[in-house]
Amino acid sequence: MKLFLELLIVFAVSTLLFYIVVNNGIKRRRAKRRINEFIPLSSNSEGTKRTKQKQSLFKGFITATSKSFYGVSFVQKSEKKLQEAGSKLKPEEFFVLRLVVAIGSGLFVLLLEWNILLIITALIAGFVLPSFNMDRKRNKRLNLISTQLIETLGMMANSMRSGFSFMQAIQLAGKEMSDPLGPEFVRVFREVGLGVPFEKAFQDLVERLPNKELEVVVQAVLAQRTSGGNLAELMETMEDTIRGRIRVLEELKTLTAQGRMSSWVITLLPAALGTYLYFFSPDFFRPMLHHPLGLFMIFAASISCLIGWLIIQKIIKIEV
């Protein structure tokens, strides 16, 4: 009964993916055939074909399958996360990538002939891990803004002292700085040049890059435009303030390094020990995977490790 249930799950998932891929392929071929009937091939068609051939098979599969999920509400919720992480993936492509990783993890555990509960756990973990990785990239990218702001504010202050206007200083910073601040400043400069109100362009910037230091800088600039004052001097003051805040954060990171390391060691040590026993002493560890009491102990241990990790993270997280 167990083997039949596992085969049924694999068959259902494989059939669904096969239908999605084949259906999208038929629609694309039909549309391409109709286009070729009315529009002659251009001279760039050969170069376009060569470019398409260079795309990897995996990327082509992700792109083709993602079209079936275009416009789905629960898929579009990840659009802001992808934008803040600087990813070029579309929301539907990211959702299909999560499905592929989840199915691959489940099939891998199935081939190892583990318990059905562990297969379900692998499916859930495979679906969650890409989102966790994207959150990590998002946090790393947003934290980089604080360091870039120090150099950017100094550059803009010197530019305005030498005769540049504020928008010219924004354009210069956009050209000189790397991602994420550089491209975003260029976007702000273009939006203002196309007629977007100054306040809205900078408020959209804060929404795309939710960073506390950047928000303070934007609010100060908007307030200065209303009340007046020396903007170059304001930039230098904010530069010193952000530099001091980052110095305090680095000191806190050094003081809490032991706690962060302890959280990962305490969390990963039971998993590493269980993996070692499974491969090097399977007879000793097998009852944990087949007996109900063993499965309950694994589940309870996982929940305990997760709670311990969350408590340690809460202790070492200090707001500045």
Side-chain angles (χ1 to χ4, degrees):
M1 183 64 185
K2 172 185 172 182
L3 180 61
F4 174 78
L5 180 60
E6 294 174 349
L7 292 176
L8 181 63
I9 294 174
V10 175
F11 176 78
V13 173
S14 303
T15 304
L16 178 61
L17 290 177
F18 180 79
Y19 171 78
I20 293 174
V21 174
V22 172
N23 187 36
N24 286 329
I26 293 174
K27 290 181 180 179
R28 287 200 310 274
R29 285 195 298 269
R30 186 182 303 165
K32 185 177 180 180
R33 184 172 62 250
R34 289 180 61 83
I35 291 174
N36 291 334
E37 289 177 357
F38 296 98
I39 301 177
L41 293 176
S42 62
S43 58
N44 295 330
S45 60
E46 184 178 353
T48 304
K49 291 181 180 179
R50 189 179 300 112
T51 303
K52 290 183 178 180
Q53 291 175 356
K54 292 181 180 179
Q55 293 181 350
S56 64
L57 181 61
F58 181 73
K59 184 177 180 181
F61 171 78
I62 294 294
T63 304
T65 311
S66 64
K67 295 180 180 179
S68 303
F69 299 96
Y70 179 78
V72 182
S73 59
F74 66 87
V75 175
Q76 297 298 326
K77 291 181 180 179
S78 60
E79 183 175 4
K80 191 173 187 299
K81 180 193 297 184
L82 294 173
Q83 184 181 24
E84 293 173 357
S87 176
K88 296 181 180 180
L89 289 174
K90 299 178 181 178
E92 55 271 16
E93 292 177 348
F94 181 61
F95 180 75
V96 172
L97 178 63
R98 296 176 66 184
L99 287 179
V100 171
V101 175
I103 295 172
S105 303
L107 291 177
F108 176 75
V109 177
L110 179 63
L111 293 176
L112 296 178
E113 298 182 353
W114 284 5
N115 191 280
I116 184 66
L117 294 178
L118 295 179
I119 296 176
I120 296 175
T121 304
L123 288 172
I124 297 175
F127 188 77
V128 173
L129 282 178
S131 180
F132 178 80
N133 184 51
M134 193 61 66
D135 287 334
R136 184 182 62 84
K137 290 183 178 179
R138 170 186 174 275
N139 294 332
K140 183 178 180 181
R141 184 170 183 261
L142 294 181
N143 291 333
L144 182 62
I145 297 175
S146 301
T147 305
Q148 284 188 322
L149 269 177
I150 297 175
E151 183 178 354
T152 302
L153 292 174
M155 182 190 307
M156 293 176 63
N158 294 332
S159 301
M160 286 185 288
R161 289 188 183 279
S162 62
F164 280 33
S165 66
F166 179 71
M167 293 309 301
Q168 288 176 331
I170 287 287
Q171 184 183 20
L172 177 62
K175 291 180 179 180
E176 295 295 332
M177 299 303 299
S178 59
D179 185 74
L181 274 186
E184 292 295 339
F185 273 23
V186 171
R187 181 173 176 176
V188 169
F189 177 79
R190 290 176 179 175
E191 288 179 352
V192 174
L194 292 173
V196 178
F198 185 89
E199 291 78 7
K200 186 178 187 307
F202 276 90
Q203 288 173 358
D204 292 341
L205 171 64
V206 175
E207 290 182 0
R208 293 192 301 268
L209 298 176
N211 179 272
K212 292 183 179 180
E213 286 78 15
L214 180 61
E215 183 177 358
V216 171
V217 171
V218 170
Q219 294 298 331
V221 170
L222 295 180
Q224 189 274 342
R225 285 179 60 87
T226 304
S227 60
N230 191 337
L231 187 56
E233 184 177 350
L234 176 63
M235 293 285 182
E236 292 179 346
T237 302
M238 289 188 294
E239 176 188 359
D240 295 336
T241 302
I242 296 175
R243 191 187 303 274
R245 186 175 186 275
I246 291 179
R247 183 171 61 252
V248 174
L249 287 175
E250 292 297 330
E251 293 177 357
L252 284 176
K253 187 180 296 184
T254 303
L255 295 174
T256 58
Q258 182 178 358
R260 293 197 308 272
M261 180 61 67
S262 299
S263 67
W264 287 110
V265 171
I266 293 174
T267 305
L268 297 179
L269 185 60
L273 181 60
T275 304
Y276 174 82
L277 292 176
Y278 176 81
F279 286 104
F280 292 95
S281 183
D283 295 334
F284 178 77
F285 194 73
R286 189 176 293 114
M288 296 290 292
L289 301 175
H290 296 86
H291 195 277
L293 181 59
L295 294 174
F296 173 77
M297 293 174 65
I298 292 178
F299 176 77
S302 301
I303 297 299
S304 300
C305 290
L306 178 61
I307 293 175
W309 184 82
L310 292 175
I311 291 176
I312 296 177
Q313 293 297 320
K314 189 69 175 178
I315 293 174
I316 63 178
K317 186 177 181 180
I318 303 174
E319 294 290 341
V320 178

